[in-house]
Each structure stands twice: as C-alpha cells, then as structure tokens.
Amino acid sequence: MIFENREEAGRLLAGMLGAYRKAPDTVVVALPRGGVPIGEALSRELGLPLDIFFVKKIPSPYNEEAGIGAVTENGLMQVNEAAVRSLGVTREYIERRAKEKLEQIAQKRALYGLPPADFTGKTLILTDDGIATGSSMILGAQALREAGAKKVIIAVPVAPSELLPILRQVADEVYVYHPSDNLIAVGRFYRDFHQLDDSEVMEILARTPH
C-alpha cells in the first residue's frame, strides 16, 4: 500500500507538477470515474480548472469484464485485432457496442451537467487513479491530441514501469509518482479504493472550477 486514498494520491502527484501551477491555458482532464478525485486534488493544488474525458471499454461478447477494444467520446476507436480474430467477433458487433458506449457517454454527460469542452490549443494534464494495461490512457491521449490539444501530459499515481516508454510515445510528458515493476492491480496501492458512484463524481464536479 502506498496511498491512503485517491485524494492523498492526487496531492502527492501534484508535487511533481509544480511547473504547471496556475499555468495559462492548462486544464486537468480526468478519466471518470476513478480519475475524478485525483483530478480534483491536482486542480486544487495546482490552481487549474478540472474537466473530464470519457474512454469506454468495448467488451468481449463472452465476458463483459474483458475488453476487446475501446472508444473515446469524440469517436476514436481502438480494437485488439488479435482478440477479435481469436474470438471470432464480427465488425457488426464491435460497431454496435461502440455505438452503445457512445450513447452511455452522452447520458453520463447529461447526468453530470458538463458539456464536452473545447481543448483546442490547450495544455492538458490527463489523469486517472492508476494505469494497469494502459489502453484507456493511451487512447485518451491520442484522442485529445486529435481534438486539438497543444500539449498532452499524462500524470498518474501508479503505473507499470514497462509501460513508461509507450506512454511517452503518445504524450509530451509523463509523470508517475510510483512506477511499479509488479503491478497486478491498481487497487493494491490504496488503502481506500472504493468504486465511486455517480453522486460522488457529481459532488466533486460541482465544487471544482471548470
């Protein structure tokens, strides 16, 4: 265990990002839901606005927990072609589930009362409560760059050491408070790693500047 909770992790992570304190045209962007408390701490410690960006997993038809791809809220999609071939998944299935995920994202946006932001020309600090496989973070960074971001910075409390070179390929800068050589599950690094519900996310977004 490294962190008491996500708030502490975000506060410690902020110590690595002092160069961006109150930096102009800079926004903290959190991946919901687990990344939102991290984003709040970064926003508070660095004096920066907070926003969110959705990346949703496209699940296997045989196991909802196993991802065979992902889609971002601005429509960028990535598919694990090897998994698709081995499972015999059709393109129709992938497109249908991606459409469902985009509809779910629109519903969450409406629930949270936060319309999609224009990130054109902005420096973005993209964060989550940790990285396991890296697929969501990598796709999110790529999508934000395509959305017109001037600079994309990945900042997380914990990530596998072996992923750092890959993260550096998609981001301008990468900050990991605790790179791990043996990351089995992100939750192992937190004493409190409860699953956030929508009401907690809404409370954080309501009290944090955008």
Side-chain angles (χ1 to χ4, degrees):
M1 193 277 294
I2 301 293
F3 310 112
E4 182 66 31
N5 51 32
R6 291 179 177 91
E7 193 279 333
E8 180 188 68
R11 192 171 66 249
L12 291 170
L13 181 61
M16 303 178 71
L17 294 157
Y20 292 97
R21 192 177 307 279
K22 296 186 178 179
D25 296 322
T26 301
V27 181
V28 176
V29 180
L31 298 182
R33 287 176 286 189
V36 174
I38 305 290
E40 179 190 24
L42 291 178
S43 170
R44 182 180 61 249
E45 297 293 322
L46 300 176
L48 298 173
L50 172 68
D51 217 304
I52 56 175
F53 189 75
F54 287 92
V55 180
K56 288 282 189 182
K57 177 174 61 183
I58 299 172
S60 161
Y62 310 109
N63 180 0
E64 283 288 320
E65 295 303 313
I68 56 171
V71 63
T72 70
E73 64 176 283
N74 60 354
L76 187 62
M77 185 165 66
Q78 191 173 66
V79 176
N80 183 332
E81 297 292 350
V84 167
R85 284 194 300 273
S86 67
L87 294 171
V89 178
T90 65
R91 289 291 154 184
E92 184 277 332
Y93 171 86
I94 294 169
E95 290 170 8
R96 174 171 58 82
R97 294 308 301 266
K99 183 179 178 183
E100 289 175 5
K101 294 301 177 183
L102 289 171
E103 290 169 354
Q104 291 173 12
I105 289 169
Q107 292 167 2
K108 289 292 185 186
R109 278 278 180 196
L111 178 65
Y112 295 168
L114 197 62
D118 181 3
F119 293 129
T120 305
K122 304 284 189 181
T123 294
L124 305 179
I125 300 174
L126 181 61
T127 194
D128 202 353
D129 51 18
I131 293 175
T133 66
S135 56
S136 294
M137 183 63 69
I138 290 166
L139 188 60
Q142 292 170 333
L144 290 171
R145 197 178 294 284
E146 288 196 9
K150 179 179 72 175
K151 187 175 184 179
V152 177
I153 300 157
I154 290 175
V156 291
V158 60
S161 303
E162 65 267 23
L163 279 184
L164 297 185
I166 299 170
L167 296 174
R168 292 187 180 111
Q169 290 176 13
V170 298
D172 296 282
E173 297 173 20
V174 175
Y175 296 89
V176 178
Y177 184 83
H178 181 72
S180 173
D181 293 330
N182 185 30
L183 200 159
I184 298 170
V186 169
R188 293 179 60 197
F189 294 87
Y190 290 83
R191 188 183 302 279
D192 172 11
F193 195 68
H194 72 279
Q195 184 168 345
L196 274 78
D197 58 29
D198 287 329
S199 63
E200 288 180 90
V201 173
M202 292 163 68
E203 288 173 10
I204 291 172
L205 295 177
R207 66 180 180 238
T208 310
H210 306 299

Short mmCIF file of all heavy atoms in Angstrom, two decimals, residues 141-183:
data_model
loop_
_atom_site.label_atom_id
_atom_site.label_comp_id
_atom_site.label_asym_id
_atom_site.label_seq_id
_atom_site.Cartn_x
_atom_site.Cartn_y
_atom_site.Cartn_z
N ALA A 141 -5.12 9.86 -24.62
CA ALA A 141 -4.09 10.83 -25.01
C ALA A 141 -4.12 11.07 -26.51
O ALA A 141 -4.03 12.22 -26.98
CB ALA A 141 -2.72 10.34 -24.57
N GLN A 142 -4.26 10.00 -27.28
CA GLN A 142 -4.33 10.13 -28.73
C GLN A 142 -5.56 10.93 -29.16
O GLN A 142 -5.49 11.79 -30.05
CB GLN A 142 -4.35 8.74 -29.38
CG GLN A 142 -3.04 7.98 -29.22
CD GLN A 142 -3.15 6.52 -29.64
OE1 GLN A 142 -4.22 5.93 -29.58
NE2 GLN A 142 -2.03 5.94 -30.06
N ALA A 143 -6.69 10.66 -28.51
CA ALA A 143 -7.93 11.35 -28.86
C ALA A 143 -7.87 12.84 -28.52
O ALA A 143 -8.36 13.68 -29.29
CB ALA A 143 -9.11 10.69 -28.15
N LEU A 144 -7.27 13.17 -27.40
CA LEU A 144 -7.16 14.58 -27.01
C LEU A 144 -6.23 15.33 -27.95
O LEU A 144 -6.46 16.50 -28.26
CB LEU A 144 -6.69 14.68 -25.56
CG LEU A 144 -7.72 14.23 -24.53
CD1 LEU A 144 -7.10 14.17 -23.14
CD2 LEU A 144 -8.93 15.17 -24.51
N ARG A 145 -5.19 14.66 -28.41
CA ARG A 145 -4.31 15.31 -29.37
C ARG A 145 -5.07 15.57 -30.68
O ARG A 145 -4.95 16.63 -31.28
CB ARG A 145 -3.08 14.44 -29.62
CG ARG A 145 -1.94 15.20 -30.28
CD ARG A 145 -0.73 14.34 -30.46
NE ARG A 145 -0.10 13.92 -29.22
CZ ARG A 145 0.64 14.71 -28.46
NH1 ARG A 145 0.84 15.96 -28.81
NH2 ARG A 145 1.20 14.25 -27.36
N GLU A 146 -5.86 14.57 -31.11
CA GLU A 146 -6.67 14.75 -32.32
C GLU A 146 -7.72 15.85 -32.13
O GLU A 146 -8.15 16.47 -33.10
CB GLU A 146 -7.35 13.44 -32.71
CG GLU A 146 -6.40 12.40 -33.27
CD GLU A 146 -7.10 11.28 -33.99
OE1 GLU A 146 -8.35 11.37 -34.21
OE2 GLU A 146 -6.43 10.29 -34.36
N ALA A 147 -8.13 16.06 -30.88
CA ALA A 147 -9.12 17.10 -30.59
C ALA A 147 -8.52 18.50 -30.59
O ALA A 147 -9.23 19.48 -30.35
CB ALA A 147 -9.79 16.82 -29.24
N GLY A 148 -7.21 18.59 -30.82
CA GLY A 148 -6.58 19.90 -30.97
C GLY A 148 -5.75 20.37 -29.81
O GLY A 148 -5.32 21.53 -29.77
N ALA A 149 -5.50 19.49 -28.82
CA ALA A 149 -4.67 19.89 -27.69
C ALA A 149 -3.27 20.28 -28.15
O ALA A 149 -2.69 19.63 -29.02
CB ALA A 149 -4.58 18.76 -26.67
N LYS A 150 -2.74 21.32 -27.57
CA LYS A 150 -1.38 21.76 -27.91
C LYS A 150 -0.34 20.83 -27.28
O LYS A 150 0.70 20.54 -27.88
CB LYS A 150 -1.16 23.20 -27.40
CG LYS A 150 0.22 23.76 -27.69
CD LYS A 150 0.35 25.19 -27.18
CE LYS A 150 0.40 25.25 -25.67
NZ LYS A 150 0.64 26.63 -25.16
N LYS A 151 -0.66 20.36 -26.08
CA LYS A 151 0.28 19.52 -25.33
C LYS A 151 -0.51 18.57 -24.45
O LYS A 151 -1.50 18.97 -23.82
CB LYS A 151 1.19 20.42 -24.48
CG LYS A 151 2.33 19.72 -23.77
CD LYS A 151 3.20 20.79 -23.07
CE LYS A 151 4.42 20.18 -22.40
NZ LYS A 151 5.26 21.21 -21.76
N VAL A 152 -0.11 17.30 -24.41
CA VAL A 152 -0.78 16.31 -23.56
C VAL A 152 0.24 15.74 -22.58
O VAL A 152 1.28 15.22 -22.97
CB VAL A 152 -1.40 15.17 -24.40
CG1 VAL A 152 -2.03 14.12 -23.47
CG2 VAL A 152 -2.45 15.70 -25.37
N ILE A 153 -0.09 15.86 -21.30
CA ILE A 153 0.76 15.37 -20.22
C ILE A 153 -0.01 14.26 -19.50
O ILE A 153 -1.15 14.47 -19.08
CB ILE A 153 1.09 16.49 -19.22
CG1 ILE A 153 1.83 17.63 -19.93
CG2 ILE A 153 1.88 15.97 -18.03
CD1 ILE A 153 1.72 18.96 -19.22
N ILE A 154 0.58 13.09 -19.39
CA ILE A 154 -0.02 12.01 -18.61
C ILE A 154 0.56 12.06 -17.21
O ILE A 154 1.78 12.09 -17.03
CB ILE A 154 0.26 10.64 -19.26
CG1 ILE A 154 -0.53 10.51 -20.58
CG2 ILE A 154 -0.10 9.50 -18.31
CD1 ILE A 154 -0.23 9.24 -21.35
N ALA A 155 -0.32 12.09 -16.20
CA ALA A 155 0.11 12.15 -14.80
C ALA A 155 -0.76 11.21 -13.98
O ALA A 155 -1.98 11.42 -13.90
CB ALA A 155 0.02 13.57 -14.27
N VAL A 156 -0.17 10.19 -13.38
CA VAL A 156 -0.92 9.21 -12.60
C VAL A 156 -0.14 8.83 -11.34
O VAL A 156 1.09 8.91 -11.31
CB VAL A 156 -1.23 7.93 -13.42
CG1 VAL A 156 -2.23 8.22 -14.53
CG2 VAL A 156 0.04 7.33 -13.99
N PRO A 157 -0.83 8.38 -10.31
CA PRO A 157 -0.13 7.96 -9.09
C PRO A 157 0.69 6.70 -9.26
O PRO A 157 1.77 6.58 -8.68
CB PRO A 157 -1.28 7.73 -8.09
CG PRO A 157 -2.41 8.54 -8.62
CD PRO A 157 -2.29 8.47 -10.10
N VAL A 158 0.18 5.74 -10.06
CA VAL A 158 0.87 4.46 -10.18
C VAL A 158 0.68 3.89 -11.58
O VAL A 158 -0.38 4.05 -12.18
CB VAL A 158 0.38 3.46 -9.10
CG1 VAL A 158 -1.10 3.19 -9.23
CG2 VAL A 158 1.18 2.16 -9.13
N ALA A 159 1.73 3.25 -12.10
CA ALA A 159 1.67 2.63 -13.43
C ALA A 159 2.79 1.60 -13.52
O ALA A 159 3.80 1.69 -12.82
CB ALA A 159 1.84 3.68 -14.53
N PRO A 160 2.64 0.61 -14.41
CA PRO A 160 3.72 -0.36 -14.61
C PRO A 160 4.95 0.30 -15.22
O PRO A 160 4.84 1.08 -16.18
CB PRO A 160 3.11 -1.38 -15.58
CG PRO A 160 1.64 -1.17 -15.52
CD PRO A 160 1.45 0.28 -15.22
N SER A 161 6.10 -0.01 -14.69
CA SER A 161 7.34 0.58 -15.21
C SER A 161 7.53 0.30 -16.69
O SER A 161 8.00 1.16 -17.45
CB SER A 161 8.54 0.03 -14.43
OG SER A 161 8.42 0.27 -13.05
N GLU A 162 7.14 -0.91 -17.14
CA GLU A 162 7.38 -1.28 -18.53
C GLU A 162 6.52 -0.50 -19.51
O GLU A 162 6.82 -0.49 -20.71
CB GLU A 162 7.17 -2.79 -18.73
CG GLU A 162 5.74 -3.27 -18.52
CD GLU A 162 5.50 -3.76 -17.09
OE1 GLU A 162 6.25 -3.33 -16.18
OE2 GLU A 162 4.58 -4.55 -16.90
N LEU A 163 5.48 0.16 -19.01
CA LEU A 163 4.62 0.94 -19.91
C LEU A 163 5.12 2.36 -20.14
O LEU A 163 4.65 3.05 -21.05
CB LEU A 163 3.19 1.02 -19.36
CG LEU A 163 2.26 -0.16 -19.60
CD1 LEU A 163 0.86 0.15 -19.06
CD2 LEU A 163 2.19 -0.52 -21.08
N LEU A 164 6.06 2.81 -19.35
CA LEU A 164 6.50 4.21 -19.44
C LEU A 164 7.00 4.59 -20.84
O LEU A 164 6.64 5.65 -21.36
CB LEU A 164 7.57 4.51 -18.38
CG LEU A 164 7.11 4.39 -16.93
CD1 LEU A 164 8.23 4.81 -15.98
CD2 LEU A 164 5.85 5.20 -16.66
N PRO A 165 7.81 3.76 -21.51
CA PRO A 165 8.24 4.13 -22.86
C PRO A 165 7.06 4.27 -23.84
O PRO A 165 7.08 5.14 -24.72
CB PRO A 165 9.16 2.97 -23.28
CG PRO A 165 9.62 2.37 -22.00
CD PRO A 165 8.47 2.51 -21.06
N ILE A 166 6.04 3.43 -23.69
CA ILE A 166 4.87 3.50 -24.57
C ILE A 166 4.07 4.77 -24.28
O ILE A 166 3.62 5.46 -25.20
CB ILE A 166 3.99 2.25 -24.40
CG1 ILE A 166 4.79 1.00 -24.77
CG2 ILE A 166 2.73 2.34 -25.26
CD1 ILE A 166 4.11 -0.29 -24.41
N LEU A 167 3.90 5.09 -23.00
CA LEU A 167 3.18 6.32 -22.64
C LEU A 167 3.89 7.55 -23.18
O LEU A 167 3.25 8.50 -23.63
CB LEU A 167 3.04 6.41 -21.11
CG LEU A 167 2.21 5.32 -20.43
CD1 LEU A 167 2.30 5.46 -18.91
CD2 LEU A 167 0.76 5.36 -20.89
N ARG A 168 5.22 7.52 -23.17
CA ARG A 168 5.99 8.67 -23.65
C ARG A 168 5.87 8.84 -25.17
O ARG A 168 6.14 9.91 -25.69
CB ARG A 168 7.45 8.52 -23.25
CG ARG A 168 7.66 8.66 -21.74
CD ARG A 168 9.13 8.68 -21.36
NE ARG A 168 9.29 8.82 -19.92
CZ ARG A 168 9.75 7.87 -19.11
NH1 ARG A 168 10.14 6.71 -19.63
NH2 ARG A 168 9.85 8.05 -17.81
N GLN A 169 5.44 7.78 -25.85
CA GLN A 169 5.24 7.88 -27.30
C GLN A 169 3.96 8.65 -27.65
O GLN A 169 3.87 9.23 -28.72
CB GLN A 169 5.18 6.49 -27.93
CG GLN A 169 6.51 5.76 -27.94
CD GLN A 169 6.39 4.34 -28.47
OE1 GLN A 169 5.37 3.97 -29.06
NE2 GLN A 169 7.42 3.53 -28.27
N VAL A 170 2.98 8.63 -26.74
CA VAL A 170 1.69 9.28 -27.03
C VAL A 170 1.50 10.59 -26.28
O VAL A 170 0.54 11.32 -26.54
CB VAL A 170 0.50 8.33 -26.72
CG1 VAL A 170 0.58 7.09 -27.61
CG2 VAL A 170 0.45 7.95 -25.25
N ALA A 171 2.38 10.88 -25.32
CA ALA A 171 2.26 12.11 -24.54
C ALA A 171 3.56 12.92 -24.63
O ALA A 171 4.63 12.37 -24.89
CB ALA A 171 1.97 11.79 -23.07
N ASP A 172 3.44 14.22 -24.42
CA ASP A 172 4.62 15.08 -24.43
C ASP A 172 5.46 14.88 -23.17
O ASP A 172 6.69 14.98 -23.22
CB ASP A 172 4.18 16.55 -24.54
CG ASP A 172 3.47 16.82 -25.85
OD1 ASP A 172 4.16 16.94 -26.88
OD2 ASP A 172 2.23 16.89 -25.86
N GLU A 173 4.78 14.63 -22.05
CA GLU A 173 5.47 14.39 -20.79
C GLU A 173 4.68 13.33 -20.01
O GLU A 173 3.46 13.24 -20.15
CB GLU A 173 5.58 15.66 -19.95
CG GLU A 173 6.39 16.78 -20.59
CD GLU A 173 6.33 18.08 -19.79
OE1 GLU A 173 5.98 18.03 -18.59
OE2 GLU A 173 6.59 19.14 -20.38
N VAL A 174 5.38 12.56 -19.19
CA VAL A 174 4.74 11.52 -18.38
C VAL A 174 5.26 11.64 -16.95
O VAL A 174 6.47 11.67 -16.72
CB VAL A 174 5.02 10.11 -18.93
CG1 VAL A 174 4.43 9.05 -18.00
CG2 VAL A 174 4.47 9.95 -20.33
N TYR A 175 4.33 11.71 -15.99
CA TYR A 175 4.68 11.76 -14.57
C TYR A 175 3.97 10.61 -13.85
O TYR A 175 2.74 10.53 -13.88
CB TYR A 175 4.25 13.09 -13.95
CG TYR A 175 4.95 14.30 -14.53
CD1 TYR A 175 4.44 14.96 -15.65
CD2 TYR A 175 6.15 14.77 -13.97
CE1 TYR A 175 5.09 16.05 -16.20
CE2 TYR A 175 6.80 15.87 -14.51
CZ TYR A 175 6.27 16.50 -15.61
OH TYR A 175 6.92 17.59 -16.16
N VAL A 176 4.74 9.74 -13.23
CA VAL A 176 4.18 8.63 -12.44
C VAL A 176 4.81 8.70 -11.06
O VAL A 176 6.03 8.58 -10.92
CB VAL A 176 4.45 7.27 -13.11
CG1 VAL A 176 3.90 6.14 -12.24
CG2 VAL A 176 3.84 7.21 -14.51
N TYR A 177 3.97 8.89 -10.04
CA TYR A 177 4.51 9.02 -8.68
C TYR A 177 5.18 7.72 -8.24
O TYR A 177 6.26 7.74 -7.64
CB TYR A 177 3.39 9.39 -7.70
CG TYR A 177 3.88 9.64 -6.30
CD1 TYR A 177 4.42 10.88 -5.95
CD2 TYR A 177 3.83 8.64 -5.33
CE1 TYR A 177 4.90 11.11 -4.66
CE2 TYR A 177 4.30 8.85 -4.06
CZ TYR A 177 4.84 10.10 -3.73
OH TYR A 177 5.32 10.31 -2.46
N HIS A 178 4.55 6.59 -8.56
CA HIS A 178 5.12 5.30 -8.15
C HIS A 178 5.11 4.32 -9.32
O HIS A 178 4.14 3.59 -9.52
CB HIS A 178 4.32 4.70 -6.98
CG HIS A 178 4.87 3.39 -6.49
ND1 HIS A 178 6.04 3.28 -5.78
CD2 HIS A 178 4.41 2.12 -6.63
CE1 HIS A 178 6.28 2.02 -5.50
NE2 HIS A 178 5.30 1.28 -6.01
N PRO A 179 6.17 4.30 -10.12
CA PRO A 179 6.29 3.26 -11.15
C PRO A 179 6.51 1.91 -10.48
O PRO A 179 7.34 1.80 -9.57
CB PRO A 179 7.51 3.69 -11.97
CG PRO A 179 7.82 5.09 -11.53
CD PRO A 179 7.33 5.21 -10.14
N SER A 180 5.77 0.90 -10.91
CA SER A 180 5.85 -0.40 -10.27
C SER A 180 6.36 -1.47 -11.23
O SER A 180 5.91 -1.54 -12.37
CB SER A 180 4.47 -0.81 -9.73
OG SER A 180 4.50 -2.15 -9.25
N ASP A 181 7.27 -2.30 -10.73
CA ASP A 181 7.77 -3.43 -11.53
C ASP A 181 6.87 -4.65 -11.42
O ASP A 181 7.09 -5.64 -12.11
CB ASP A 181 9.19 -3.80 -11.09
CG ASP A 181 10.19 -2.70 -11.41
OD1 ASP A 181 9.97 -1.97 -12.39
OD2 ASP A 181 11.18 -2.57 -10.66
N ASN A 182 5.87 -4.56 -10.54
CA ASN A 182 4.98 -5.72 -10.33
C ASN A 182 3.57 -5.23 -10.06
O ASN A 182 3.04 -5.40 -8.96
CB ASN A 182 5.51 -6.56 -9.15
CG ASN A 182 4.71 -7.83 -8.95
OD1 ASN A 182 4.17 -8.39 -9.90
ND2 ASN A 182 4.63 -8.29 -7.72
N LEU A 183 2.97 -4.61 -11.06
CA LEU A 183 1.63 -4.05 -10.87
C LEU A 183 0.58 -5.08 -11.32
O LEU A 183 0.31 -5.24 -12.51
CB LEU A 183 1.47 -2.74 -11.66
CG LEU A 183 0.33 -1.83 -11.18
CD1 LEU A 183 0.58 -0.39 -11.63
CD2 LEU A 183 -1.03 -2.29 -11.68
#
